Amino acid sequence: MALLLIGCGADDRPASTTRARETSATQGHLVIDPAEGDRLAADLGAPAAGDRPEGGQVAAPPVPSATSDDIRALPVSDPLEAAPAAAVPAIGAMVHVGDGGPENFCTASVVHSPNRNLVATAAHCVYSDDFSVGVAFAPGYTHGEMPYGVWVPSRIDVDPRWVADRDPDFDVAFLQVRSPGTDDRIEDVTGAEQIRFDFPAEQSALLVGYPEDQHEPIDCRNRTSAFGDTQLRFDCANFPDGTSGGPMITDIDPANGRGTLIGVIGGYQLGGDELTSYSSYFGAGISALYERACAA
């Protein structure tokens, strides 16, 4: 639903750097120079580590009508359209440097990984003709405020089939992220969603995204359904540009608002239209991509 390329064109890079990036792109990954991330964080005005709240101790708002006996009891939104929502630590905006400071253009979420440093978004948010650089993740982002800091990617992983021909069945990316100037792991600061693969297509789910012109999240609750064999469909109106990469979450725990990631806005039509959102189905291909991102 939103596509923004922030990065260096081939003409702007030394030949050796260009060849290295082209080689890594065919393999579906990019390792980013720490100095680039440090400069980006400074340009975005990242808050000092001591100025941010202890995210792991901040509980997200309970999900309406959910009970401890059935954490999947998500009531369908009525009306069936996205509405303003409270920001939560494990979900945030993908940002870049704009004329007036940070500007959000996509959405992402923290997912559990062994190294506690992984973020999921749509592949089209970070790769088109080349990997996008100059982008970062701001969990809990609200109106330009980044209470849990700026997290810059140290590595980006997408499926080579996305690189080759923008296959909508692989419109998913995983980013290893770090907080410049600290040894913090994002999962320890914000908490994380779990992640699930090869699940039944019909799920009660919450969909969250950051519209690029609103600077705060919106959400909607409905059931997902299959769209062919390789896509998930989520019917709910008014998920505009900027919500790409937004998480589809199920099995939500009412105690902390976190659950299990089963999709991200993307895939068919780069995420959908004004009435319906899509996600690449998290099957064997996306599972392998996640395992590669965790192992790198």
Side-chain angles (χ1 to χ4, degrees), residues 6-7 21 29-42 44 93-97 105 108 117-121 125-127 131-139 149-158 173-180 184 186 293:
I6 305 295
R21 285 196 172 171
H29 71 267
L30 175 68
V31 177
I32 299 173
D33 184 343
E36 287 189 66
D38 292 348
R39 286 191 295 269
L40 174 62
L44 287 168
M94 295 293 292
V95 298
H96 67 100
V97 178
F105 67 93
N117 66 345
L118 208 61
V119 169
T121 189
C125 289
V126 294
Y127 188 97
F131 281 101
S132 300
V133 295
V135 301
F137 175 59
V150 169
W151 298 78
V152 298
S154 55
R155 178 182 167 112
I156 303 173
D157 279 275
V158 298
F174 294 103
L175 285 63
Q176 293 183 18
V177 298
R178 64 184 182 86
S179 175
D184 293 346
I186 192 167

Side-chain angles (χ1 to χ4, degrees), residues 70-148:
D70 185 0
I71 61 177
R72 295 175 294 178
L74 290 174
V76 174
S77 294
D78 184 15
L80 198 56
E81 59 185 39
V88 297
I91 301 171
M94 295 293 292
V95 298
H96 67 100
V97 178
D99 292 338
E103 292 182 353
N104 57 298
F105 67 93
C106 270
T107 306
S109 55
V110 184
V111 293
H112 174 66
S113 67
N115 290 326
R116 310 187 309 282
N117 66 345
L118 208 61
V119 169
T121 189
H124 74 258
C125 289
V126 294
Y127 188 97
S128 182
D129 295 328
D130 193 359
F131 281 101
S132 300
V133 295
V135 301
F137 175 59
Y141 181 80
T142 307
H143 293 292
E145 298 296 322
M146 299 175 286
Y148 302 96

Side-chain angles (χ1 to χ4, degrees), residues 5-296:
L5 300 180
I6 305 295
C8 301
D11 292 342
D12 300 324
R13 301 194 298 263
S16 59
T17 302
T18 301
R19 286 193 296 271
R21 285 196 172 171
E22 287 174 348
T23 299
S24 65
T26 61
Q27 298 170 357
H29 71 267
L30 175 68
V31 177
I32 299 173
D33 184 343
E36 287 189 66
D38 292 348
R39 286 191 295 269
L40 174 62
D43 290 343
L44 287 168
D51 294 337
R52 66 192 184 207
E54 292 293 332
Q57 299 176 8
V58 177
V63 176
S65 302
T67 69
S68 57
D69 294 329
D70 185 0
I71 61 177
R72 295 175 294 178
L74 290 174
V76 174
S77 294
D78 184 15
L80 198 56
E81 59 185 39
V88 297
I91 301 171
M94 295 293 292
V95 298
H96 67 100
V97 178
D99 292 338
E103 292 182 353
N104 57 298
F105 67 93
C106 270
T107 306
S109 55
V110 184
V111 293
H112 174 66
S113 67
N115 290 326
R116 310 187 309 282
N117 66 345
L118 208 61
V119 169
T121 189
H124 74 258
C125 289
V126 294
Y127 188 97
S128 182
D129 295 328
D130 193 359
F131 281 101
S132 300
V133 295
V135 301
F137 175 59
Y141 181 80
T142 307
H143 293 292
E145 298 296 322
M146 299 175 286
Y148 302 96
V150 169
W151 298 78
V152 298
S154 55
R155 178 182 167 112
I156 303 173
D157 279 275
V158 298
D159 193 284
R161 286 164 285 194
W162 175 263
V163 173
D165 59 8
R166 312 303 179 268
D167 188 331
D169 295 341
F170 300 97
D171 191 3
V172 179
F174 294 103
L175 285 63
Q176 293 183 18
V177 298
R178 64 184 182 86
S179 175
T182 79
D183 295 325
D184 293 346
R185 300 294 176 130
I186 192 167
E187 189 170 334
D188 298 334
V189 174
T190 65
E193 314 294 349
Q194 300 297 313
I195 190 167
R196 186 178 178 189
F197 305 98
D198 296 319
F199 50 88
E202 291 193 6
Q203 300 284 329
S204 176
L206 175 73
L207 186 61
V208 184
Y210 275 81
E212 64 182 6
D213 60 350
Q214 295 184 28
H215 314 300
E216 61 183 358
I218 57 175
D219 70 15
C220 187
R221 300 178 303 277
N222 199 2
R223 291 190 67 82
T224 60
S225 60
F227 182 68
D229 294 331
T230 56
Q231 298 279 317
L232 282 183
R233 173 176 179 149
F234 188 100
D235 291 317
C236 184
N238 301 334
F239 277 90
D241 288 354
T243 58
S244 284
M248 294 182 185
I249 306 171
T250 191
D251 290 347
I252 295 175
D253 187 338
N256 58 28
R258 292 191 291 270
T260 300
L261 185 74
I262 60 168
V264 298
I265 297 177
Y268 180 65
Q269 296 180 334
L270 295 182
D273 55 29
E274 64 273 12
L275 297 177
T276 300
S277 297
Y278 298 95
S279 169
S280 306
Y281 178 74
F282 281 17
I286 306 304
S287 176
L289 179 65
Y290 169 78
E291 293 295 336
R292 172 156 64 90
C294 288

